[in-house]
Structures are given as structure tokens and as C-alpha cells.
Amino acid sequence: QIKLVETGGGMVHDGGSLRLSCAASGRTFSRYAMGWFRQAPGKERLFVGTFIWSSGNTYYADSVKGRFTISRDNAKNTVYLQMNSLKPEDTAVYYCAASLQPAIATRRDNYDYWGQGTQVTVSS
């Protein structure tokens, strides 16, 4: 059973930073892609960024490029989303997801497993 658990959400002011963690258990994710998505109230779930575990390659949505960074800790089987220069429009529930295909993937249906989400609120 694959399980993904996000932590690190919270409330920050405009311009602040947060780091989200996604701890993966159930198998080794060295062959997979990990993605981050977010969903604002009343909106669809949107792609934020993705990380290919084996190569370290990353790809980001234009809306977060230059502000968000995905990284990993192999020993902890954990992926991080460092979010800097946060804006009120970044407010959303953030989800991590795992894809069994080790390739850049931006669509929700590319991903096979999902975490429960963590709330990020940016106040102006």
C-alpha cells in the first residue's frame, strides 16, 4: 500500500515562505515521478511542479517558476516543496502525488497516488 503524507502547511503573510514535505511509504520511489498540485476553493486542482526521482529533473508551472523549488531526501523517502515570495493567490490546499511513470507529467490523470493535502494560506 503506497501512502503519501503532506505536512508543513500553514498561514503566512504576503512575501513569506513555507516548506511542504511529502513523506512516501510503501515502496521506494526512485523510479517514479512526484508531483505537487494545488486546489483553491471552488477551483480545479492545478499542476504546480514535478520531480523525477531518478534523474532529479524538475518542471514547474509558469505561475510558480522562480519562486517554488522541489527537492528530495532519499534517506527519508521525502520530497519537499520550498515556496518563497508567497502571494495571496497561492492560497490553496496543496497535494503531493506519485506517478509510476518516471517522466515529466503535468496532468492529474498522470498520477496514481495522492496525499490528503495540506492547507496553505497567504494573507495580504
Side-chain angles (χ1 to χ4, degrees):
Q1 181 72 21
I2 293 175
K3 185 176 181 182
L4 302 175
V5 178
E6 303 99 331
T7 56
M11 181 179 291
V12 296
H13 291 297
D14 191 353
S17 298
L18 279 175
R19 188 179 77 161
L20 306 183
S21 300
C22 175
S25 61
R27 65 175 62 188
T28 301
F29 287 83
S30 60
R31 296 184 179 181
Y32 304 148
M34 303 296 291
W36 285 96
F37 288 74
R38 65 186 181 186
Q39 188 166 18
K43 303 284 185 64
E44 63 179 321
R45 192 172 299 186
L46 298 177
F47 171 77
V48 172
T50 188
F51 172 85
I52 310 304
W53 206 288
S54 58
S55 65
N57 289 341
T58 55
Y59 180 80
Y60 301 95
D62 287 343
S63 59
V64 306
K65 202 172 293 183
R67 300 188 298 124
F68 291 11
T69 303
I70 300 174
S71 62
R72 66 179 168 188
D73 183 327
N74 289 339
K76 296 181 178 179
N77 222 26
T78 297
V79 172
Y80 302 99
L81 180 66
Q82 178 67 44
M83 305 184 294
N84 298 328
S85 302
L86 282 162
K87 307 173 183 179
E89 51 263 44
D90 294 318
T91 295
V93 177
Y94 283 70
Y95 298 89
C96 73
S99 170
L100 300 180
Q101 299 299 320
I104 298 295
T106 63
R107 294 166 51 95
R108 287 180 57 183
D109 58 8
N110 292 141
Y111 291 84
D112 305 283
Y113 301 95
W114 292 83
Q116 83 289 348
T118 186
Q119 177 71 46
V120 171
T121 303
V122 185
S123 61
S124 57

